[in-house]
Amino acid sequence: MNRTKAVFIVSMLLTVVIILGWSLIGKSRQSLGPSINNATLPLPAQQALTTDQASLVEYQVSPQDPYFHGPCPIDSAILNDIRQRTLPIGFENEKGTRQWESISKNLEEKRSIDSFKKNLRDFLLVLIKLQHPQSYRLMGNSEGGDMIAYARVAICDEIAIAHHHIKGGIDPSIGQDYCENNNLVPSKQDRILFETFYRSCRLTASNAFRFGPVLLTRSAFYPSKQDLSLILKALDLDPKRPNEAVCTYKNR
């Protein structure tokens, strides 16, 4: 009888230890989860958006003066790409134009689905940064407003190019006149993403006069709230992500 009781007591103790062990593991996973998901990214390179009035510093959750939150710097190469896409089209190397030869080359060269998604993500991230309430402290209101308009156009420009590379096109009803390499087959999820971008590109006359001698109407990215949420999730974009969308600066 004593031996039976001893075995029973040992068994109970082992059960309690196992239960406590799994409980502690579960709690540790829960505590690690948010810190991993919300981990601050490495400090980005300081360029493009920064001025002599502020310097980029390590991210702070609740900055106090002289520190403040603002949009993270934008890669100058991405800005230049966006600007190029808003230039009027030229055919004979006219100054200040976007040559049709370069556009047709882009339509014909081999591209991947991921390359389109990367460009769309880069351009949308620029749009997110420039819509930050403190962006005026790092870029003038006039220039920032122009770049917002340019980014909206660049997103739709990339979607137009993607249409000519995807087999059957994003919208089969409008044809594919300029590309013989329309053989990309996106996954179901990527096709939904491209279709969502496509329907978010709308004709607009907003700020058209700033683009120079071009047609009044432009196709620009104006998504619905639901479509924008879907796009942000698909491209893993968070408008509040530290050191990607939002950075900390120090006034000089």
Side-chain angles (χ1 to χ4, degrees):
M1 182 67 67
N2 291 336
R3 183 177 180 181
T4 302
K5 287 183 177 180
V7 171
F8 176 76
I9 292 172
V10 170
S11 299
M12 290 297 295
L13 288 173
L14 287 173
T15 301
V16 171
V17 169
I18 291 171
I19 292 172
L20 288 175
W22 278 110
S23 177
L24 290 172
I25 291 171
K27 288 181 179 179
S28 65
R29 285 178 176 174
Q30 290 177 359
S31 63
L32 284 173
S35 65
I36 293 172
N37 293 335
N38 298 326
T40 301
L41 298 175
L43 194 68
Q46 181 160 333
Q47 59 175 327
L49 279 180
T50 58
T51 70
D52 292 337
Q53 299 177 351
S55 58
L56 190 65
V57 298
E58 292 293 337
Y59 183 81
Q60 299 179 19
V61 176
S62 301
Q64 302 294 324
D65 190 59
Y67 301 94
F68 66 95
H69 277 165
C72 292
I74 299 174
D75 190 305
S76 58
I78 296 175
L79 287 178
N80 290 335
D81 190 0
I82 288 174
R83 289 191 182 99
Q84 285 294 317
R85 292 169 187 255
T86 62
L87 294 175
I89 295 175
F91 295 89
E92 297 179 354
N93 295 317
E94 303 93 333
K95 186 178 180 180
T97 63
R98 183 186 184 193
Q99 290 298 300
W100 175 252
E101 183 180 357
S102 67
I103 297 174
S104 60
K105 181 180 179 182
N106 196 344
L107 290 172
E108 291 295 340
E109 69 181 358
K110 291 184 177 181
R111 293 283 303 272
S112 67
I113 293 294
D114 285 342
S115 73
F116 285 112
K117 290 170 66 177
K118 181 184 182 303
N119 281 347
L120 290 169
R121 190 182 193 279
D122 287 344
F123 296 163
L124 183 52
L125 185 56
V126 168
L127 186 59
I128 289 170
K129 291 175 180 179
L130 292 176
Q131 290 179 316
H132 189 281
Q134 294 294 323
S135 65
Y136 72 93
R137 301 180 68 165
L138 304 172
M139 179 180 283
N141 283 332
S142 179
E143 183 182 5
D146 285 349
M147 286 307 305
I148 287 175
Y150 297 165
R152 292 188 187 278
V153 171
I155 288 171
C156 295
D157 186 87
E158 186 70 5
I159 279 295
I161 295 172
H163 167 80
H164 288 284
H165 282 267
I166 292 174
K167 188 173 183 179
I170 297 174
D171 183 349
S173 66
I174 67 173
Q176 296 170 287
D177 300 330
Y178 303 108
C179 181
E180 296 180 358
N181 291 322
N182 51 357
N183 53 9
L184 291 182
V185 181
S187 66
K188 182 178 179 181
Q189 291 78 7
D190 286 342
R191 176 165 286 281
I192 292 172
L193 174 64
F194 287 130
E195 289 175 349
T196 305
F197 266 108
Y198 180 85
R199 69 168 173 258
S200 297
C201 288
R202 308 168 188 272
L203 287 178
T204 174
S206 175
N207 285 335
F209 65 93
R210 294 184 180 274
F211 297 129
V214 296
L215 297 176
L216 178 64
T217 54
R218 278 277 188 169
S219 184
F221 181 68
Y222 283 95
S224 66
K225 185 176 181 180
Q226 293 90 341
D227 283 348
L228 181 59
S229 295
L230 186 153
I231 289 169
L232 291 175
K233 184 176 181 180
L235 294 179
D236 187 28
L237 271 174
D238 182 353
K240 296 181 179 179
R241 183 170 292 154
N243 284 353
E244 183 179 59
V246 180
C247 285
T248 303
Y249 294 86
K250 180 181 180 182
N251 284 319
R252 291 185 176 178

